[in-house]
Amino acid sequence: MILLNLLQKDLEMIIAAIIGTLGFCMFFNVKRDKLIYGCIGGAFSVVAYFACVELGMSLFAQNMIPAAIATLYAELMARAVKAPATVFLIPGVIPLAPGGKLYDTMRAIVDGDQANAKILGQETVVIALGLAVGVVLVSVVFYQIRNKK
Amino acid sequence: MCEKGVDYNAGRVLESALDIGEAMLLSGAEILRVEDTVRRICQAYGGGSVDVFSILSLIIVSWKDQKGENTTLVRRVYSYATDLCRLEQLNALSRDICENTPECDDVEKRVEAIMSSPNRKISRKRFVGYVLTAAPFAIFFGGNMRDAVAAGIVGALLYLWDFIFAVRSKNRVVYIFFSSMFASAVCILSVIAGIATHADKVMMGVIMLLIPGISLVNSLRDMMIGDIMTGILRLAEALMMSVAIAAGFGVAIMIFRSLWGV
């Protein structure tokens, strides 16, 4: 229900992000036959992101949960297709990177808007942290499994 | 093919293991993967104990094989980038080496074949990559179609910029500063020229090409897996690069503001 609602509302954004992910895969020279897997990872994280926003989660959780999902996908794909997890992970998390916030922060600094700059700067850091924690949570688990063998 | 554990030259094996390790660093592999690969290759050829230590710019390896022969090599790595196609090929190559232990000359040739894929030639795939990253993300951050077109154009120009300057620059932070300044200047010009409507949305799309998101994620991953040293190096780099990006477009905005008052 939420998902359907979401798909109607943010469809344009989701499609834009998925095409952007495709572009990013090409930017980092992912092999041609793996491009589609990268896009699917991006789609997962972007849909999860909008779902989390819809559910009114905190800024940290909004980024942590999609990052964790994208990492889970990447680690599973790495086992299924026998390629390094990075190949699927980087495209998966790229729609979450705080490019917009970073720009806003700098804009506020240039405009001399100290109060806003501080808030936006903090938000940028929180997004980056959420992203990293999401990725790390899942990849640490996989790392432990791999090393137990 | 040399027979496993008998016919090999420790120095040569170590050298080709380091070639692969270096090539992996140059393609943006995690440190853990580099160390693991070097260790596995040595062990596949001659067994014994292997000590590998690697950071982003250096690999040190010391190997005592089953014959009791000690060999130590150090390799300095001068630059690194992210190229996932190469990384994948190198990974497959190292798996193959561990299974089949081919002759070292053969290994060297194969590493060279992977790494020599044309970097100095205009690659259509990468060009499309630049455009297809910048344009959709301009929409993703709330821009309209015209902003996306402008972002695509800036992405294409940034590809040419990278193509002309990237190979020559050793200092990534300074390079990113100038790239970001160039990109924002073009973004502002695109609004003045009447192509785009929101300079900031165009810029947000283009920033996705510069942002060190990968370094950041990799650095925290490194740290959580226990490789604090590499994590700190990468984190410092990611922070420096973010500051450089921010400073670059800050300077560009200020220049335009003082000259034209936009």
Side-chain angles (χ1 to χ4, degrees):
Chain A
M1 193 57 209
I2 291 173
L3 214 64
L4 270 180
N5 222 338
L6 184 90
L7 279 176
Q8 279 172 356
K9 217 174 75 188
D10 301 313
L11 190 62
E12 198 182 319
M13 298 264 210
I14 292 172
I15 290 173
I18 293 171
I19 299 173
T21 311
L22 172 70
F24 217 84
C25 292
M26 291 166 102
F27 175 61
F28 275 131
N29 200 6
V30 173
K31 254 192 189 169
R32 234 164 260 256
D33 55 328
K34 305 246 165 32
L35 283 177
I36 181 74
Y37 300 126
C39 290
I40 295 171
F44 270 131
S45 69
V46 114
V47 170
Y49 172 77
F50 281 115
C52 290
V53 172
E54 197 77 357
L55 290 170
M57 291 187 186
S58 69
L59 193 61
F60 183 78
Q62 273 171 25
N63 289 280
M64 192 197 84
I65 294 169
I69 291 172
T71 316
L72 186 65
Y73 168 80
E75 294 279 358
L76 292 177
M77 281 313 286
R79 270 150 195 75
V81 192
K82 291 257 182 309
T86 323
V87 174
F88 310 105
L89 177 64
I90 289 176
V93 295
I94 210 64
L96 305 169
K101 275 281 189 294
L102 184 68
Y103 180 87
D104 285 335
T105 310
M106 191 58 214
R107 189 76 208 217
I109 293 172
V110 173
D111 289 342
D113 186 353
Q114 294 295 327
N116 255 332
K118 209 167 151 191
I119 296 168
L120 286 167
Q122 275 172 355
E123 281 178 2
T124 310
V125 173
V126 168
I127 292 174
L129 260 182
L131 199 94
V133 169
V135 171
V136 163
L137 267 184
V138 177
S139 54
V140 163
V141 172
F142 274 87
Y143 176 72
Q144 297 295 349
I145 296 170
R146 190 165 46 220
N147 275 33
K148 227 163 227 169
K149 278 191 285 196
Chain B
M1 190 185 290
C2 23
E3 205 177 318
K4 211 164 188 171
V6 185
D7 172 33
Y8 66 91
N9 176 338
R12 294 278 289 132
V13 170
L14 214 49
E15 237 173 74
S16 38
L18 275 181
D19 281 342
I20 293 183
E22 182 186 6
M24 281 185 146
L25 277 182
L26 288 172
S27 318
E30 315 98 287
I31 298 298
L32 200 75
R33 183 182 300 280
V34 175
E35 290 183 351
D36 205 46
T37 304
V38 174
R39 183 179 305 119
R40 272 168 203 262
I41 291 175
C42 290
Q43 252 152 12
Y45 277 88
S49 67
V50 190
D51 289 300
V52 197
F53 172 79
S54 175
I55 53 174
L56 288 175
S57 50
L58 189 77
I59 312 174
I60 302 172
V61 52
S62 180
W63 179 26
K64 185 177 183 184
D65 61 13
Q66 279 168 333
K67 300 179 210 158
E69 203 180 326
N70 261 313
T71 320
T72 304
L73 276 184
V74 175
R75 180 75 56 93
R76 176 81 164 87
V77 181
Y78 285 98
S79 69
Y80 52 95
T82 307
D83 187 324
L84 296 176
C85 182
R86 281 182 184 169
L87 180 59
E88 211 188 309
Q89 286 173 322
L90 287 166
N91 205 48
L93 175 61
S94 79
R95 269 170 197 266
D96 184 50
I97 290 172
C98 289
E99 268 168 33
N100 301 321
T101 56
E103 296 281 359
C104 294
D105 291 336
D106 189 31
V107 174
E108 242 160 58
K109 262 183 220 141
R110 283 161 74 182
V111 174
E112 218 164 277
I114 293 172
M115 295 309 283
S116 68
S117 47
N119 219 0
R120 289 301 298 149
K121 239 174 64 187
I122 286 191
S123 140
R124 201 162 17 133
K125 186 176 167 195
R126 287 201 49 138
F127 179 79
V128 174
Y130 273 73
V131 176
L132 268 193
T133 306
F137 275 114
I139 293 182
F140 181 68
F141 286 119
N144 54 28
M145 259 340 233
R146 285 170 69 188
D147 297 335
V149 171
I153 294 170
V154 180
L157 288 173
L158 201 60
Y159 174 77
L160 291 179
W161 169 274
D162 272 353
F163 182 72
I164 296 166
F165 295 112
V167 184
R168 277 180 233 157
S169 69
K170 283 262 181 256
N171 188 334
R172 296 227 298 175
V173 173
V174 173
Y175 178 70
I176 286 283
F177 171 77
F178 283 109
S179 300
S180 156
M181 208 166 102
F182 167 75
S184 12
V186 181
C187 287
I188 296 168
L189 280 176
S190 78
V191 176
I192 294 175
I195 301 171
T197 39
H198 312 96
D200 48 347
K201 304 297 180 209
V202 180
M203 195 56 220
M204 282 178 193
V206 175
I207 274 185
M208 296 305 280
L209 290 169
L210 304 168
I211 205 167
I214 286 91
S215 297
L216 183 75
V217 169
N218 273 342
S219 84
L220 282 131
R221 256 174 110 199
D222 282 335
M223 279 200 246
M224 296 295 166
I225 297 172
D227 197 347
I228 305 260
M229 173 98 115
T230 310
I232 289 173
L233 284 177
R234 271 202 224 265
L235 186 65
E237 196 209 11
L239 287 178
M240 285 300 292
M241 277 169 59
S242 307
V243 170
I245 294 172
F249 61 71
V251 170
I253 290 171
M254 280 194 283
I255 289 173
F256 272 89
R257 188 165 293 171
S258 56
L259 286 182
W260 282 283
V262 271

